[in-house]
Amino acid sequence: MIAIASDHAGYALKDELVKYLAEKNIPCEDLGTCDGTTSVDYNDFGVLVAEAVAKGTHERGIIVCGTGIGISISANKVPGIRAALCTDSYMAKMSREHNDANVLALGARVIGAGEAIDIVETWLSASFLGGRHQRRVDKFTDIEKKYSV
Ligand code: RB5
């Protein structure tokens, strides 16, 4: 199950992605925002998805704001989250294969819906390669532990 959320700036693209996932029969839960006209803080929606993935209630997450920057920074504050902001399919593939990204961040003011769908498709079909990459992914956890109180 994929958790998806956006702020107001990402709302229209999120809507497109929810429709795309439904068409492909990919289970997805929309955690908001529920309208694109009311200004909301991207942090709140990034954390909602990040917590769902960190807790394991959802396997992966997709988050959208204007640039993808604020919402990905927010998600990455949650331990266990590896949110990757991707602007093309190559980044999406690498974020899975090398970084084992569990959350995909997109910028609705940066890329169009067609590109976003290509990125999502690539990201969902790519797998973590493990091997030497595992050691580096483990170091994300080491960094989290170093700064946890
Ligand atoms: C909202 O105006 C905008 O700041 C937000 O969507 C995002 O781009 C922040 O990183």
Side-chain angles (χ1 to χ4, degrees):
M1 172 74 86
I2 293 168
I4 190 166
S6 73
D7 71 354
H8 54 287
Y11 175 79
L13 178 57
K14 170 171 68 71
D15 214 34
E16 293 285 334
L17 296 177
V18 167
K19 281 182 200 147
Y20 163 78
L21 293 168
E23 275 164 23
K24 296 284 172 187
N25 290 314
I26 299 169
C28 146
E29 187 179 3
D30 187 349
L31 302 181
T33 184
C34 297
D35 78 88
T37 54
T38 308
S39 181
V40 294
D41 297 333
Y42 51 77
N43 318 78
D44 303 331
F45 293 91
V47 166
L48 266 184
V49 167
E51 287 179 346
V53 173
K55 280 180 198 150
T57 57
H58 296 71
E59 288 142 41
R60 296 212 216 155
I62 299 174
I63 50 179
V64 191
C65 71
T67 58
I69 296 172
I71 204 160
S72 59
I73 293 173
S74 304
N76 276 320
K77 298 292 179 191
V78 176
I81 293 306
R82 297 175 297 278
L85 171 56
C86 299
T87 54
D88 60 40
S89 294
Y90 177 73
M91 292 174 79
K93 186 169 182 276
M94 289 302 107
S95 80
R96 287 291 307 130
E97 291 189 352
H98 288 197
N99 314 117
D100 199 16
N102 50 13
V103 173
L104 171 66
L106 299 168
R109 293 174 178 165
V110 181
I111 55 169
E115 180 75 29
I117 286 169
D118 286 349
I119 290 171
V120 167
E121 202 168 26
T122 302
W123 192 73
L124 290 176
S125 57
S127 303
F128 181 49
L129 294 177
R132 70 184 188 280
H133 304 296
Q134 185 62 59
R135 183 179 72 248
R136 295 159 184 164
V137 168
D138 289 342
K139 287 192 175 185
F140 291 140
T141 314
D142 296 344
I143 296 165
E144 283 172 0
K145 283 185 186 148
K146 184 175 174 189
Y147 289 98
S148 70
V149 281

